Amino acid sequence: MTGTPVAVSVKAVDKVFRTRKGGEVHALSDVSLDVAPGEFVSLIGPSGCGKSTLMRLIADLDGVSGGEIEVFGKSPEQARKDQDYGIAFQQAGLLPWRTVRANIELPLEIHGVDARGRKERSDELLALIGLEDFADHHPDQLSGGMKQRVAIARAMAERPRLLLMDEPFGALDEMTREHMQNELVALCEETGAAVVFVTHSIPEAVFLSDRVVVMSPRPGRITGIVDLSFAARDEDLREDAAFYEGVTAVRTMLHGAEAGAGPRGVENR
Amino acid sequence: MRGDRIRGVLWGLAGVLAAMALWEGYKALAPADGIVIGELTVLPRTTDIAMPHIWDMVARLFDPVTRAAGADVLWWAVLQAAAFSLGIAALGWLIGVVSGMVLALLMQRWLTAESAVLPWVVLSQTVPLIAIAPLVKRWGTAIHIGSFEWENWMSVAVIASYLAFFPVAVSALRGLKSPHAADVDLFRAYAAGWWTGIVRLRLPSAVPYLLPALRLAAANAVVGTIVAEVSIGLGGGVGRMIIEFAATASGDPAKTWAPIFGAMLIGLVSAGLVSLIGLGLGRFRRGEAPA
C-alpha cells in the first residue's frame, strides 16, 4: 500500500475479551484486511468467528488488543469523532418516540445541522428509500422491512464514505430480504460509499459483495477471501451461473474452515 | 374511546357507592359492640360515635366549626386546611422529584456513585417519619442566613420531599438505564456526549418508568405532609385538624371525619394533577416498557 487511498485498513489485529471469571476469549487473531473506497466487502462465518467484533473495532465501539486499524488513514476513534462512517445494526434501533423523519434526522440534529438542512436531507433520503408517505409515522406503525430501510437512511444521513452494517437484514423474512438487498445495491451505486457488511447468509454475501471475507471461530480469523466480479447486480444475477459459482466457492471455503464439522450458524439458503 | 371513558366514570361511581353501602350495611347489621372473638375486637363497633351515618357526616360539613360566634362553616374550614396542606405537599413533591432526578443522574453517570448512594437511598426509607421530624425541625431552626428564618412549614415540606424522592430516584435510575445496548452504541458512534445521550436517549426512555413514580411520589408527599404536620405541630393544615377534631370525637363524632375527607380530596387532586403531566408525554410511551 504505497499512497493508495484505503477506506479501511486492518493490520494484524488481535482482540481478547476478558470474562468475569478471569478467563480469556480470543475473539480475533491476527486479522488483516483492506477495504478500498467504494468497495463492498462482506464478512461471513459461523457464530463466534468475530465478524461482528471486527466491525465494532472498525467503528471504535471496542478497542483492539493488538495490531492496528486505520479508517481513511485515521485512528478509528478519530474517524468516529469525524463521523466518517454510518452504521446500522440487526435491530433497526429506531427511537420509538420519534417519527420516521425525526429518526432519520437524529444524527444531523446531534451534530448541529440547522432545521432547513435537516429537512432537505431527510426529504432526499425519504425519497431514496421510498417512504415519503410515512415521514410522520412512528416506528411501531412500520413493518420490519420499512424500519430497516429507515435505519439505513439514518446511517446514510451524513453522506458517509463508509457504511458499517451488522446483519441489517437478519431479522427480515426471505422475500423482504431480497428486496432490501436490491435496494441496498442501488443505494450503494448512487452514493459510492464503501461498505463493510456482516452477514450469516451466503447468497446475501455473494449477491451484494465485491469481496466475501470468510471467517472461522476459535480464535476468530480470516480463512479466505472470495473475489466476485459480476457485470451487474440485479434480479437476473440471482439465477445466473456465475452467482451459483460464487455461492459454491464461499460455501466450500466455509466448510473447509470447519474441517468437515459443518458450519454452524451459517444459513445456506 | 368515548364509551371507555364513560364506562370508567361509571365504574368509579360504582366503587364509591359500594364503599358507602358497605359502611351503612355493616353499621346496620353488626352488633353495637363490634364483632368480638374471645377478647379481641376483630371488627369495629358500630355505635354512632365509632361509625357515624354518612348523611350525618355530610350534614355536619354544612354546620359551623364551633358554636363560637362568627365561626366558619365546617366544609370551608376543611377546604382551607386542605389547600394549605396541598400547597406544602406540592412543594415537597417538587423538591423530592428534583432531588430524586439529580440522584438518579449521578448514579447513572458514575457507577461508584450508584454503589455508594443507592444503599443509603433505600435505607433512608426505613427510618420512621416520627423519628426524623424533630431532627429536621431542630436543624432547620439552626439555619440563619441574613434575614432568612426557618419556619415550621418548611420542615414539613422537607419531610414530605423525603418521602417523595425515593420512588423517583429508584424508577428514574431504572429508566435511565433502560435503553438497549444497540441504542447506546449508536449514540457512541455519533460521538454524542453524555448530556446529549441523556436528553435525546435516556430521559425519553425513562418516561414510562417516571410517570408511575411521579404519582407514587405525589401520594407519598401528601402522606408525609399530613404526618409531618402532626409531628412538627404545624397548625393550619389537615394533619393538625385531624388531631384537634379527634379530641371532640365523643361529643361530635361526625366532625372527626371532615378533615379525613379533606385528606382524601388532597390525594385525589394531587393524583389528578400528576396524571396531567402524562398527557403531554404520550409519544414517549409508544412501545411502553414494562414498569
Side-chain angles (χ1 to χ4, degrees):
Chain A
M1 287 283 162
T2 48
T4 326
V6 192
V8 181
S9 150
V10 178
K11 287 197 192 86
V13 160
D14 281 295
K15 178 64 186 176
V16 180
F17 288 108
R18 278 183 179 72
T19 60
R20 267 190 200 180
K21 288 174 184 166
E24 288 188 350
V25 177
H26 222 111
L28 289 174
S29 171
D30 192 26
V31 168
S32 296
L33 175 70
D34 282 330
V35 179
E39 188 182 24
F40 198 119
V41 172
S42 285
L43 309 178
I44 194 169
S47 300
C49 70
K51 54 194 189 297
S52 290
T53 303
L54 179 55
M55 196 209 79
R56 290 177 62 85
L57 293 178
I58 297 169
D60 189 40
L61 296 176
D62 274 317
V64 297
S65 306
E68 198 187 0
I69 295 181
E70 281 187 358
V71 179
F72 297 113
K74 304 180 238 185
S75 71
E77 189 189 359
Q78 194 57 45
R80 174 172 65 84
K81 288 182 175 161
D82 293 349
Q83 295 301 302
D84 283 333
Y85 68 78
I87 194 162
F89 301 101
Q90 176 169 9
Q91 298 302 328
L94 305 178
L95 302 181
W97 55 86
R98 285 177 165 252
T99 60
V100 166
R101 180 188 293 281
N103 265 294
I104 293 175
E105 290 180 359
L106 177 69
L108 304 168
E109 205 177 303
I110 287 177
H111 300 121
V113 178
D114 62 17
R116 222 177 99 211
R118 293 203 301 266
K119 169 105 173 35
E120 272 173 24
R121 184 63 180 145
S122 57
D123 279 340
E124 277 173 32
L125 287 162
L126 283 165
L128 206 60
I129 58 171
L131 288 180
E132 297 104 317
D133 295 341
F134 292 86
D136 298 321
H137 284 54
H138 281 87
D140 55 315
Q141 298 166 302
L142 304 183
S143 70
M146 288 171 162
K147 281 189 219 174
Q148 210 49 261
R149 294 222 283 273
V150 177
I152 290 168
R154 180 177 64 184
M156 292 180 157
E158 298 183 281
R159 296 188 181 83
R161 290 175 292 162
L162 172 64
L163 279 175
L164 303 175
M165 308 183 115
D166 190 355
E167 298 188 55
F169 309 144
L172 304 182
D173 63 83
E174 190 62 20
M175 295 277 293
T176 316
R177 196 169 184 160
E178 288 193 357
H179 181 66
M180 294 292 298
Q181 289 163 6
N182 295 344
E183 288 199 0
L184 183 60
V185 167
L187 285 174
C188 289
E189 276 167 6
E190 272 190 58
T191 58
V195 184
V196 176
F197 189 93
V198 174
T199 179
H200 266 120
S201 158
I202 298 173
E204 177 168 276
V206 172
F207 181 75
L208 290 172
S209 314
D210 298 313
R211 281 191 297 159
V212 178
V213 176
V214 180
M215 299 179 71
S216 72
R218 289 178 296 277
R221 63 196 181 279
I222 294 176
T223 42
I225 296 179
V226 178
D227 272 293
L228 302 155
S229 43
F230 302 123
R233 285 169 216 284
D234 49 26
E235 261 321 282
D236 293 340
L237 176 61
R238 293 186 195 276
E239 307 299 328
D240 199 281
F243 175 73
Y244 287 111
E245 278 167 28
V247 168
T248 307
V250 173
R251 185 174 293 150
T252 310
M253 201 170 276
L254 271 166
H255 282 239
E258 284 280 299
R264 286 201 305 233
V266 174
E267 296 164 18
N268 284 303
R269 58 185 188 181
Chain B
M1 286 300 283
R2 245 191 106 90
D4 284 353
R5 259 244 166 93
I6 293 168
R7 199 176 309 163
V9 171
L10 288 179
W11 275 114
L13 276 177
V16 173
L17 286 177
M20 288 163 73
L22 194 67
W23 179 276
E24 288 296 338
Y26 175 74
K27 185 170 161 63
L29 298 176
D33 281 338
I35 291 171
V36 183
I37 298 177
E39 292 187 357
L40 281 175
T41 310
V42 291
L43 285 171
R45 278 187 261 261
T46 59
T47 56
D48 280 349
I49 290 178
M51 291 180 68
H53 282 293
I54 292 169
W55 46 88
D56 286 339
M57 295 187 232
V58 174
R60 183 65 188 83
L61 288 174
F62 297 95
D63 291 336
V65 180
T66 61
R67 254 167 292 177
D72 279 334
V73 69
L74 182 58
W75 68 264
W76 175 241
V78 168
L79 206 63
Q80 283 178 309
F84 178 83
S85 294
L86 182 62
I88 295 179
L91 182 63
W93 180 83
L94 198 66
I95 300 172
V97 168
V98 170
S99 43
M101 288 301 298
V102 169
L103 272 177
L105 286 172
L106 285 176
M107 289 190 282
Q108 190 278 323
R109 181 73 181 82
W110 291 287
L111 204 62
T112 31
E114 183 182 342
S115 31
V117 174
L118 196 56
W120 291 104
V121 169
V122 175
L123 202 64
S124 74
Q125 300 303 300
T126 65
V127 180
L129 213 56
I130 307 292
I132 57 161
L135 286 178
V136 171
K137 188 179 177 180
R138 197 180 314 150
W139 291 333
T141 45
I143 297 175
H144 297 286
I145 304 166
S147 58
F148 174 81
E149 288 267 357
W150 187 266
E151 291 181 40
N152 273 349
W153 65 266
M154 299 177 189
S155 300
V156 174
V158 167
I159 292 165
S161 72
Y162 183 83
L163 288 195
F165 93 96
F166 178 71
V168 177
V170 172
S171 302
L173 178 61
R174 249 186 89 195
L176 290 173
K177 288 172 144 189
S178 65
H180 299 293
D183 292 339
V184 176
D185 279 345
L186 188 69
F187 272 69
R188 182 175 155 83
Y190 292 151
W194 176 72
W195 186 243
T196 305
I198 290 290
V199 173
R200 302 215 190 270
L201 177 62
R202 292 186 186 275
L203 276 181
S205 312
V207 167
Y209 294 84
L210 268 176
L211 289 177
L214 293 181
R215 270 202 294 278
L216 263 178
N220 283 3
V222 170
V223 170
T225 303
I226 290 172
V227 175
E229 279 174 358
V230 174
S231 356
I232 299 267
L234 176 70
V238 163
R240 191 61 189 274
M241 194 178 248
I242 290 175
I243 298 293
E244 279 170 9
F245 287 7
T248 66
S250 56
D252 195 353
K255 187 182 174 187
T256 325
W257 293 87
I260 295 176
F261 291 147
M264 284 159 61
L265 187 68
I266 301 174
L268 287 176
V269 170
S270 55
L273 288 178
V274 170
S275 57
L276 285 183
I277 298 175
L279 289 184
L281 297 172
R283 71 191 177 109
F284 297 111
R285 306 179 70 183
R286 286 177 170 273
E288 186 96 303

mmCIF file of all heavy atoms in Angstrom, chain A residues 100-101 104 119-135 149 153 183 187 190:
data_model
loop_
_atom_site.group_PDB
_atom_site.id
_atom_site.type_symbol
_atom_site.label_atom_id
_atom_site.label_comp_id
_atom_site.label_asym_id
_atom_site.label_seq_id
_atom_site.Cartn_x
_atom_site.Cartn_y
_atom_site.Cartn_z
ATOM 1 N N VAL A 100 -40.591 8.827 11.716
ATOM 2 C CA VAL A 100 -39.617 8.340 10.739
ATOM 3 C C VAL A 100 -38.653 9.463 10.367
ATOM 4 O O VAL A 100 -37.430 9.295 10.381
ATOM 5 C CB VAL A 100 -40.351 7.819 9.490
ATOM 6 C CG1 VAL A 100 -39.388 7.640 8.335
ATOM 7 C CG2 VAL A 100 -41.038 6.495 9.812
ATOM 8 N N ARG A 101 -39.205 10.630 10.080
ATOM 9 C CA ARG A 101 -38.359 11.747 9.673
ATOM 10 C C ARG A 101 -37.387 12.132 10.792
ATOM 11 O O ARG A 101 -36.191 12.301 10.571
ATOM 12 C CB ARG A 101 -39.219 12.954 9.286
ATOM 13 C CG ARG A 101 -38.383 14.148 8.841
ATOM 14 C CD ARG A 101 -39.232 15.386 8.651
ATOM 15 N NE ARG A 101 -40.164 15.284 7.548
ATOM 16 C CZ ARG A 101 -39.817 15.452 6.274
ATOM 17 N NH1 ARG A 101 -38.576 15.695 5.958
ATOM 18 N NH2 ARG A 101 -40.725 15.362 5.330
ATOM 19 N N ILE A 104 -34.531 9.739 11.069
ATOM 20 C CA ILE A 104 -33.511 9.923 10.039
ATOM 21 C C ILE A 104 -32.656 11.154 10.348
ATOM 22 O O ILE A 104 -31.456 11.181 10.124
ATOM 23 C CB ILE A 104 -34.171 10.055 8.649
ATOM 24 C CG1 ILE A 104 -34.836 8.729 8.263
ATOM 25 C CG2 ILE A 104 -33.149 10.451 7.605
ATOM 26 C CD1 ILE A 104 -35.608 8.780 6.962
ATOM 27 N N LYS A 119 -34.201 19.092 7.064
ATOM 28 C CA LYS A 119 -35.404 18.800 6.290
ATOM 29 C C LYS A 119 -35.040 18.416 4.863
ATOM 30 O O LYS A 119 -35.557 17.449 4.319
ATOM 31 C CB LYS A 119 -36.310 20.043 6.320
ATOM 32 C CG LYS A 119 -37.485 20.023 5.374
ATOM 33 C CD LYS A 119 -38.757 19.754 6.150
ATOM 34 C CE LYS A 119 -40.033 19.867 5.333
ATOM 35 N NZ LYS A 119 -39.988 19.452 3.938
ATOM 36 N N GLU A 120 -34.120 19.187 4.256
ATOM 37 C CA GLU A 120 -33.696 18.903 2.886
ATOM 38 C C GLU A 120 -33.150 17.485 2.777
ATOM 39 O O GLU A 120 -33.524 16.719 1.893
ATOM 40 C CB GLU A 120 -32.608 19.890 2.454
ATOM 41 C CG GLU A 120 -33.150 21.162 1.845
ATOM 42 C CD GLU A 120 -32.034 22.165 1.596
ATOM 43 O OE1 GLU A 120 -30.859 21.745 1.467
ATOM 44 O OE2 GLU A 120 -32.333 23.375 1.540
ATOM 45 N N ARG A 121 -32.248 17.159 3.718
ATOM 46 C CA ARG A 121 -31.590 15.853 3.648
ATOM 47 C C ARG A 121 -32.591 14.717 3.911
ATOM 48 O O ARG A 121 -32.565 13.695 3.231
ATOM 49 C CB ARG A 121 -30.449 15.804 4.679
ATOM 50 C CG ARG A 121 -29.630 14.532 4.645
ATOM 51 C CD ARG A 121 -28.908 14.365 3.333
ATOM 52 N NE ARG A 121 -28.116 13.123 3.297
ATOM 53 C CZ ARG A 121 -27.941 12.372 2.223
ATOM 54 N NH1 ARG A 121 -28.515 12.730 1.083
ATOM 55 N NH2 ARG A 121 -27.214 11.286 2.270
ATOM 56 N N SER A 122 -33.480 14.924 4.881
ATOM 57 C CA SER A 122 -34.411 13.837 5.176
ATOM 58 C C SER A 122 -35.412 13.674 4.025
ATOM 59 O O SER A 122 -35.844 12.552 3.741
ATOM 60 C CB SER A 122 -35.123 14.055 6.509
ATOM 61 O OG SER A 122 -35.804 15.282 6.540
ATOM 62 N N ASP A 123 -35.753 14.770 3.339
ATOM 63 C CA ASP A 123 -36.611 14.650 2.154
ATOM 64 C C ASP A 123 -35.945 13.769 1.095
ATOM 65 O O ASP A 123 -36.561 12.852 0.544
ATOM 66 C CB ASP A 123 -36.902 16.039 1.557
ATOM 67 C CG ASP A 123 -38.015 16.751 2.310
ATOM 68 O OD1 ASP A 123 -38.789 16.057 3.002
ATOM 69 O OD2 ASP A 123 -38.101 17.990 2.221
ATOM 70 N N GLU A 124 -34.655 14.062 0.837
ATOM 71 C CA GLU A 124 -33.901 13.269 -0.136
ATOM 72 C C GLU A 124 -33.907 11.797 0.228
ATOM 73 O O GLU A 124 -34.181 10.934 -0.602
ATOM 74 C CB GLU A 124 -32.431 13.711 -0.143
ATOM 75 C CG GLU A 124 -32.113 14.925 -0.983
ATOM 76 C CD GLU A 124 -30.659 15.353 -0.750
ATOM 77 O OE1 GLU A 124 -29.796 14.469 -0.491
ATOM 78 O OE2 GLU A 124 -30.411 16.554 -0.800
ATOM 79 N N LEU A 125 -33.589 11.524 1.517
ATOM 80 C CA LEU A 125 -33.448 10.140 1.942
ATOM 81 C C LEU A 125 -34.787 9.412 1.938
ATOM 82 O O LEU A 125 -34.864 8.242 1.565
ATOM 83 C CB LEU A 125 -32.821 10.088 3.341
ATOM 84 C CG LEU A 125 -31.332 10.425 3.351
ATOM 85 C CD1 LEU A 125 -30.870 10.788 4.746
ATOM 86 C CD2 LEU A 125 -30.513 9.259 2.810
ATOM 87 N N LEU A 126 -35.849 10.124 2.328
ATOM 88 C CA LEU A 126 -37.175 9.515 2.319
ATOM 89 C C LEU A 126 -37.556 9.106 0.903
ATOM 90 O O LEU A 126 -38.134 8.036 0.676
ATOM 91 C CB LEU A 126 -38.210 10.486 2.893
ATOM 92 C CG LEU A 126 -38.206 10.610 4.409
ATOM 93 C CD1 LEU A 126 -38.991 11.840 4.850
ATOM 94 C CD2 LEU A 126 -38.787 9.362 5.056
ATOM 95 N N ALA A 127 -37.193 9.959 -0.073
ATOM 96 C CA ALA A 127 -37.469 9.628 -1.469
ATOM 97 C C ALA A 127 -36.640 8.417 -1.886
ATOM 98 O O ALA A 127 -37.132 7.506 -2.554
ATOM 99 C CB ALA A 127 -37.149 10.834 -2.352
ATOM 100 N N LEU A 128 -35.376 8.413 -1.443
ATOM 101 C CA LEU A 128 -34.454 7.332 -1.795
ATOM 102 C C LEU A 128 -34.968 5.972 -1.315
ATOM 103 O O LEU A 128 -34.880 4.971 -2.020
ATOM 104 C CB LEU A 128 -33.092 7.635 -1.156
ATOM 105 C CG LEU A 128 -31.849 7.062 -1.816
ATOM 106 C CD1 LEU A 128 -31.712 7.579 -3.240
ATOM 107 C CD2 LEU A 128 -30.618 7.412 -0.998
ATOM 108 N N ILE A 129 -35.528 5.934 -0.099
ATOM 109 C CA ILE A 129 -35.992 4.654 0.434
ATOM 110 C C ILE A 129 -37.488 4.457 0.190
ATOM 111 O O ILE A 129 -38.076 3.475 0.628
ATOM 112 C CB ILE A 129 -35.708 4.520 1.950
ATOM 113 C CG1 ILE A 129 -36.380 5.654 2.724
ATOM 114 C CG2 ILE A 129 -34.221 4.484 2.215
ATOM 115 C CD1 ILE A 129 -36.317 5.469 4.228
ATOM 116 N N GLY A 130 -38.097 5.410 -0.534
ATOM 117 C CA GLY A 130 -39.497 5.259 -0.931
ATOM 118 C C GLY A 130 -40.483 5.299 0.224
ATOM 119 O O GLY A 130 -41.501 4.616 0.210
ATOM 120 N N LEU A 131 -40.195 6.094 1.238
ATOM 121 C CA LEU A 131 -41.104 6.169 2.385
ATOM 122 C C LEU A 131 -41.609 7.594 2.615
ATOM 123 O O LEU A 131 -41.904 7.966 3.744
ATOM 124 C CB LEU A 131 -40.401 5.657 3.651
ATOM 125 C CG LEU A 131 -40.150 4.147 3.747
ATOM 126 C CD1 LEU A 131 -39.456 3.799 5.052
ATOM 127 C CD2 LEU A 131 -41.450 3.368 3.639
ATOM 128 N N GLU A 132 -41.726 8.372 1.523
ATOM 129 C CA GLU A 132 -42.173 9.762 1.684
ATOM 130 C C GLU A 132 -43.497 9.839 2.437
ATOM 131 O O GLU A 132 -43.723 10.728 3.243
ATOM 132 C CB GLU A 132 -42.357 10.451 0.322
ATOM 133 C CG GLU A 132 -41.096 10.573 -0.494
ATOM 134 C CD GLU A 132 -41.073 9.556 -1.622
ATOM 135 O OE1 GLU A 132 -41.448 8.392 -1.346
ATOM 136 O OE2 GLU A 132 -40.692 9.909 -2.745
ATOM 137 N N ASP A 133 -44.380 8.872 2.135
ATOM 138 C CA ASP A 133 -45.720 8.930 2.724
ATOM 139 C C ASP A 133 -45.729 8.556 4.201
ATOM 140 O O ASP A 133 -46.732 8.684 4.879
ATOM 141 C CB ASP A 133 -46.674 7.986 1.976
ATOM 142 C CG ASP A 133 -46.881 8.440 0.537
ATOM 143 O OD1 ASP A 133 -46.585 9.627 0.267
ATOM 144 O OD2 ASP A 133 -47.309 7.626 -0.286
ATOM 145 N N PHE A 134 -44.596 8.059 4.674
ATOM 146 C CA PHE A 134 -44.561 7.601 6.059
ATOM 147 C C PHE A 134 -43.724 8.503 6.956
ATOM 148 O O PHE A 134 -43.413 8.152 8.089
ATOM 149 C CB PHE A 134 -44.009 6.172 6.117
ATOM 150 C CG PHE A 134 -44.920 5.162 5.494
ATOM 151 C CD1 PHE A 134 -44.877 4.902 4.131
ATOM 152 C CD2 PHE A 134 -45.849 4.486 6.269
ATOM 153 C CE1 PHE A 134 -45.736 3.979 3.552
ATOM 154 C CE2 PHE A 134 -46.703 3.558 5.703
ATOM 155 C CZ PHE A 134 -46.654 3.302 4.337
ATOM 156 N N ALA A 135 -43.389 9.690 6.442
ATOM 157 C CA ALA A 135 -42.473 10.582 7.164
ATOM 158 C C ALA A 135 -42.946 10.858 8.592
ATOM 159 O O ALA A 135 -42.151 10.915 9.523
ATOM 160 C CB ALA A 135 -42.314 11.892 6.404
ATOM 161 N N ARG A 149 -35.255 -0.024 6.437
ATOM 162 C CA ARG A 149 -34.960 0.997 5.425
ATOM 163 C C ARG A 149 -34.676 2.335 6.109
ATOM 164 O O ARG A 149 -33.765 3.066 5.723
ATOM 165 C CB ARG A 149 -36.136 1.152 4.458
ATOM 166 C CG ARG A 149 -36.379 -0.060 3.613
ATOM 167 C CD ARG A 149 -36.702 0.271 2.179
ATOM 168 N NE ARG A 149 -38.044 0.752 1.931
ATOM 169 C CZ ARG A 149 -39.104 -0.041 1.696
ATOM 170 N NH1 ARG A 149 -38.962 -1.338 1.718
ATOM 171 N NH2 ARG A 149 -40.271 0.481 1.433
ATOM 172 N N ALA A 153 -31.352 4.588 5.972
ATOM 173 C CA ALA A 153 -31.373 6.010 5.611
ATOM 174 C C ALA A 153 -30.680 6.835 6.684
ATOM 175 O O ALA A 153 -29.929 7.774 6.392
ATOM 176 C CB ALA A 153 -32.822 6.480 5.432
ATOM 177 N N GLU A 183 -32.363 -3.004 -3.075
ATOM 178 C CA GLU A 183 -32.353 -1.577 -2.763
ATOM 179 C C GLU A 183 -30.982 -1.126 -2.294
ATOM 180 O O GLU A 183 -30.503 -0.048 -2.639
ATOM 181 C CB GLU A 183 -33.388 -1.273 -1.679
ATOM 182 C CG GLU A 183 -34.798 -1.372 -2.191
ATOM 183 C CD GLU A 183 -35.779 -0.635 -1.301
ATOM 184 O OE1 GLU A 183 -35.336 -0.063 -0.285
ATOM 185 O OE2 GLU A 183 -36.965 -0.652 -1.624
ATOM 186 N N LEU A 187 -28.644 1.815 -3.669
ATOM 187 C CA LEU A 187 -28.206 2.914 -2.810
ATOM 188 C C LEU A 187 -26.691 3.071 -2.860
ATOM 189 O O LEU A 187 -26.166 4.186 -2.936
ATOM 190 C CB LEU A 187 -28.636 2.655 -1.361
ATOM 191 C CG LEU A 187 -30.112 2.867 -1.035
ATOM 192 C CD1 LEU A 187 -30.413 2.439 0.394
ATOM 193 C CD2 LEU A 187 -30.491 4.325 -1.236
ATOM 194 N N GLU A 190 -25.455 4.632 -5.989
ATOM 195 C CA GLU A 190 -25.692 6.078 -6.001
ATOM 196 C C GLU A 190 -24.703 6.845 -5.154
ATOM 197 O O GLU A 190 -24.255 7.920 -5.520
ATOM 198 C CB GLU A 190 -27.109 6.369 -5.483
ATOM 199 C CG GLU A 190 -28.155 6.337 -6.594
ATOM 200 C CD GLU A 190 -29.487 6.864 -6.100
ATOM 201 O OE1 GLU A 190 -29.518 8.018 -5.634
ATOM 202 O OE2 GLU A 190 -30.452 6.113 -6.162
#
